[in-house]
Amino acid sequence: MSPVTQYAQTNPFTPVFGKVPAVMAGRENIIADMVDAFEGNGSSPDLCSIFTGVRGTGKTALLTYLGYRAQQAGWIVADTVASKGMLEDLLQRVRASAAHLVDTKPKAKLKSVTISQLGGISWDTPDGQQDNWRTQITALLDELAKTDTGIVFSVDEVNGNLDEMVQLVSTFQLLVRESRKVALLMAGLPFQVSSLLSGKTTSFLRRAARHELGSIPAYEVKEAFRLTVEEGGKKIPSDALQAAADAIDGFPFMFQLVGYRSWNASRDSEEISSESVGKGIEIATEELAARVYDATLAELSRGDIEFLLAMNPDGTPTERDAIMERTGRNGNWTSTYRRRLLEAGVLAEPRQGVYSFSLPGFAEYVNEHARQ
């Protein structure tokens, strides 16, 4: 393969939801803590962890990566999305992944022995047996315990209103009480996680390790972007790197979009120039709106939008009194929608009574599209 062809075919950026990027920028501390938990004696509080963040903050990619690291540490990993049938899906994933360690086939039981000229043996198979989910998982854990192997349940897009999600959490609590070697990793949007934590039967999750996946520091963005480019076989000058970092503004999905489009814009060149980055930023900005902002705005109520439109349109922090003055609303109304927007992950409160947009560029998007 010629160098020119290689440059055109090895784009190292991954603007696909859930795909593990070449460099896990800004998540090193979380990963280190989780790897320590996987390699420990099974008593780490991080073995029950919840990852929250708005769309595009890398929740799914992180879950996927942590699953890889858990497997490397000797765990069986079963991953699913919170939806109808998730418990059966998890059970099947465990059986498939543990097939090399345990016999997961149903066992036949001796029913009767017939003494005759030919003789005969009758077997009763348990195909119709209807053990509940906890019983079936416990049986697998009994077998896996013989090789000191545990199970990691990994659930994306948590939904506190889903009965099977509640059943999983309740069963996990019982397994922990029985000192089983299990871990539960969950990821979801902030308001869905809040809904799950507010349930009476899932209240123990309030003691779980919470990891809020926010913005990546600027210096880490630059370093990770440079490393990703170089691992792909190209170079990027400092001015182009700075332009890319400014546009990314710490947002993981924008990191992948800008990188992917900038790489493609450089075509067969060995370097990603400032011109290529500029083209990449232009396309990436449009994609971000279509793939993240549109869905986020669609979930907001009229009151949510009224609150956001009362914030500073340039995205700078806004004081609570300014919002009350601009909307003509009282403190109770302001507090209600502040809480809603914080839970949705759209709003941040860098200091008490001062609010800012948690999504880079969302202020401009709201003011352009929500007024229509």
Side-chain angles (χ1 to χ4, degrees), residues 94-359:
V94 172
R95 285 174 173 164
S97 299
H100 64 295
L101 295 174
V102 300
D103 183 4
T104 59
K105 296 179 181 178
K107 301 293 192 301
K109 296 180 180 179
L110 182 63
K111 182 178 181 181
S112 63
V113 178
T114 303
I115 301 175
S116 64
Q117 185 176 3
L118 297 177
I121 298 176
S122 176
W123 297 90
D124 185 15
T125 59
D127 293 339
Q129 185 174 338
Q130 298 296 319
D131 288 338
N132 64 23
W133 191 80
R134 178 187 174 189
T135 300
Q136 294 179 76
I137 284 294
T138 299
L140 287 168
L141 285 166
D142 286 340
E143 292 298 312
L144 290 171
K146 298 174 183 177
T147 55
D148 192 31
T149 303
I151 300 175
V152 175
F153 301 107
S154 177
V155 184
D156 198 10
E157 300 180 16
V158 300
N159 182 348
N161 297 318
L162 184 67
D163 289 341
E164 289 185 68
M165 184 80 240
V166 175
Q167 185 179 344
L168 170 63
V169 171
S170 300
T171 301
F172 178 79
Q173 182 182 14
L174 295 173
L175 295 175
V176 171
R177 287 170 54 184
E178 296 171 0
S179 298
R180 302 285 184 172
K181 190 172 183 179
V182 289
L184 178 60
L185 310 183
M186 296 172 288
L189 297 170
F191 74 93
Q192 290 285 16
V193 171
S194 295
S195 175
L196 179 64
L197 296 181
S198 65
K200 292 182 180 179
T201 58
T202 57
S203 59
F204 94 100
L205 283 179
R206 296 167 194 167
R207 301 190 296 274
R210 295 279 298 275
H211 304 278
E212 296 183 6
L213 305 184
S215 297
I216 304 171
Y219 72 90
E220 291 194 37
V221 168
K222 292 177 67 175
E223 179 68 5
F225 199 91
R226 180 185 62 79
L227 286 173
T228 305
V229 169
E230 291 178 354
E231 286 185 12
K234 294 191 179 189
K235 297 180 180 179
I236 183 168
S238 58
D239 57 340
L241 181 59
Q242 185 62 56
D246 290 343
I248 292 166
D249 197 19
F251 194 47
F253 189 53
M254 190 61 165
F255 180 105
Q256 300 300 331
L257 283 175
V258 170
Y260 186 83
R261 294 305 177 185
S262 298
W263 180 283
N264 286 350
S266 67
R267 295 185 176 84
D268 300 333
S269 174
E270 298 181 20
E271 179 181 274
I272 300 180
S273 65
S274 294
E275 181 181 0
S276 294
V277 169
K279 293 179 180 178
I281 291 171
E282 182 179 355
I283 299 173
T285 301
E286 295 176 357
E287 284 187 283
L288 184 65
R291 298 173 67 176
V292 177
Y293 293 166
D294 285 352
T296 301
L297 184 63
E299 292 175 344
L300 300 179
S301 70
R302 291 183 179 180
D304 295 328
I305 293 173
E306 182 180 355
F307 187 105
L308 294 178
L309 288 174
M311 293 179 63
N312 296 336
D314 59 0
T316 55
T318 309
E319 293 186 357
R320 180 174 183 270
D321 290 345
I323 293 175
M324 293 175 63
E325 181 179 349
R326 293 168 187 171
T327 60
R329 302 285 191 171
N330 60 27
N332 288 336
W333 182 92
T334 304
S335 296
T336 296
Y337 286 98
R338 160 196 165 277
R339 177 182 52 79
R340 283 174 52 86
L341 291 165
L342 284 171
E343 290 180 352
V346 174
L347 200 66
E349 190 171 8
R351 59 184 185 276
Q352 187 173 3
V354 177
Y355 315 123
S356 61
F357 287 87
S358 60
L359 287 169

